[in-house]
């Protein structure tokens, strides 16, 4: 069962903590005006992919930043993309990106979209429960607890972290070099 609300009432870390506690799969859509960000969550364990309608958070922009953008390869990957396949996965299948490059790009995109979304204080959010609408490697993405800890470190509110992680039965180990 999905849920919705506003980030003025719940922090993004709290919303992600709820999804973690419920162990649900689905898409968390965050909207502010005509801007939209989506986080695709697998069984409450990890964000497998992040998408945004903002050009600065696009696959194209990320590929440009890491010096891997090639317009011809993008066109070829777009035209040969299979149903339920991400464009970046098609680029791997066609040999335009290595698995390691793909993993790095996906993680960087998730970090960028999550951190930017956490700054939206009055955005609406809606979690739509269901299967992730694309195929993605099991190890792709970032673990949800790591993201929640990263967001909490950004805000510095340890009590909020305790609320996000639920009733205290979850064990959390702080990584001195977090992803976020």
């Amino acid at each position: 069962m999905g849920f919705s609300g506003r980030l003025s009432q719940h922090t993004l870390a709290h919303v992600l903590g709820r999804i973690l506690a419920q162990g649900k799969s689905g898409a968390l859509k965050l909207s502010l005006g005509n801007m939209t960000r989506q986080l695709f969550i697998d069984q409450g364990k990890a964000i497998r992919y992040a998408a945004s309608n903002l050009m600065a958070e696009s696959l194209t922009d990320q590929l440009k930043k890491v010096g891997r953008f090639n317009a011809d390869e993008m066109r070829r990957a777009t035209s040969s993309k299979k149903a339920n396949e991400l464009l970046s996965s098609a680029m791997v299948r066609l040999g335009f990106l290595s698995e390691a490059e793909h993993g790095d790009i996906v993680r960087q995109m998730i970090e960028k979209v999550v951190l930017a979304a956490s700054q939206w204080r009055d955005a609406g959010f809606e979690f739509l429960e269901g299967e992730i609408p694309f195929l993605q490697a099991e190890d792709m993405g970032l673990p949800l607890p790591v993201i929640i800890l990263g967001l909490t470190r950004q805000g510095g509110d340890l009590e909020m972290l305790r609320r996000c992680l639920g009733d205290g039965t979850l064990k959390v180990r702080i990584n001195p070099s977090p992803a976020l």
Side-chain angles (χ1 to χ4, degrees):
M1 177 172 204
F3 58 92
S4 62
R6 300 204 67 76
L7 291 182
S8 59
Q9 303 293 312
H10 309 276
T11 65
L12 180 56
H14 183 262
V15 173
L16 293 172
R18 182 173 173 184
I19 296 166
L20 171 69
Q22 293 176 355
K24 302 291 183 180
S25 292
L28 177 61
K29 181 179 178 182
L30 302 125
S31 301
L32 185 64
N34 63 355
M35 299 177 290
T36 302
R37 294 177 168 121
Q38 288 186 303
L39 306 175
F40 296 93
I41 301 167
D42 185 16
Q43 299 175 3
K45 295 177 185 173
I47 295 179
R48 296 288 178 211
Y49 201 78
S52 169
N53 68 348
L54 302 173
M55 187 59 186
E57 297 170 0
S58 68
L59 174 63
T60 299
D61 190 66
Q62 193 62 38
L63 289 169
K64 286 178 180 178
K65 282 189 170 136
V66 298
R68 297 292 286 128
F69 179 78
N70 179 302
D72 183 54
E73 290 177 354
M74 288 290 280
R75 276 190 295 279
R76 290 173 52 198
T78 300
S79 66
S80 70
K81 191 173 97 50
K82 297 176 181 178
N84 298 331
E85 183 180 40
L86 294 168
L87 180 58
S88 59
S89 296
M91 294 181 75
V92 172
R93 181 173 48 79
L94 296 171
F96 301 147
L97 287 176
S98 70
E99 289 285 344
E101 289 171 319
H102 185 225
D104 289 344
I105 287 168
V106 167
R107 283 186 290 280
Q108 290 165 8
M109 288 176 64
I110 292 169
E111 288 178 4
K112 181 185 268 190
V113 170
V114 167
L115 287 174
S118 73
Q119 301 304 307
W120 283 354
R121 300 293 180 220
D122 195 38
F125 67 84
E126 181 178 17
F127 179 67
L128 303 168
E129 188 178 340
E131 292 300 313
I132 296 176
F134 53 81
L135 305 173
Q136 187 73 297
E138 288 281 327
D139 62 344
M140 196 66 59
L142 286 171
L144 215 44
V146 169
I147 292 169
I148 293 167
L149 283 169
L151 289 173
T152 302
R153 283 185 172 162
Q154 297 292 320
D157 184 351
L158 292 178
E159 186 54 39
M160 189 269 302
L161 174 63
R162 289 184 184 96
R163 288 192 311 269
C164 289
L165 294 177
D167 63 6
T169 59
L170 296 173
K171 301 278 185 200
V172 176
R173 197 171 48 120
I174 296 179
N175 179 347
S177 303
L180 294 176

